[in-house]
Amino acid sequence: MAKHAGAYRSDKRRKELSRLKKQEEKRQRRLSKKDSTEQDSEMTDSEGKDREQEN
């Protein structure tokens, strides 16, 4: 186990920081996925408008 009391706290803190970092990475992935989806839908909308103008 831990050799002294401080080791437990630092280990616990390290795990917490790791968890927070992982959580932030997931959040960034969700945001980037959402942004790319919005851009795709905007392109589709503009293509639809171009086709309507041609007719």
Side-chain angles (χ1 to χ4, degrees):
M1 210 90 162
K3 293 182 181 179
H4 51 84
Y8 173 75
R9 276 190 239 137
S10 65
D11 189 44
K12 193 172 185 178
R13 179 67 178 154
R14 181 185 55 81
K15 287 180 181 179
E16 182 185 3
L17 291 173
S18 176
R19 182 184 59 80
L20 290 172
K21 183 179 177 185
K22 194 179 219 181
Q23 191 175 40
E24 180 65 20
E25 288 171 354
K26 284 182 179 181
R27 189 180 74 81
Q28 289 296 329
R29 270 186 259 136
R30 279 196 310 268
L31 288 175
S32 66
K33 187 185 288 187
K34 183 179 179 183
D35 288 344
S36 66
T37 304
E38 286 177 359
Q39 289 175 355
D40 292 344
S41 65
E42 287 175 7
M43 293 177 76
T44 306
D45 291 345
S46 65
E47 289 171 0
K49 290 176 184 175
D50 291 342
R51 290 183 188 142
E52 287 175 4
Q53 290 175 357
E54 290 175 357
N55 292 335

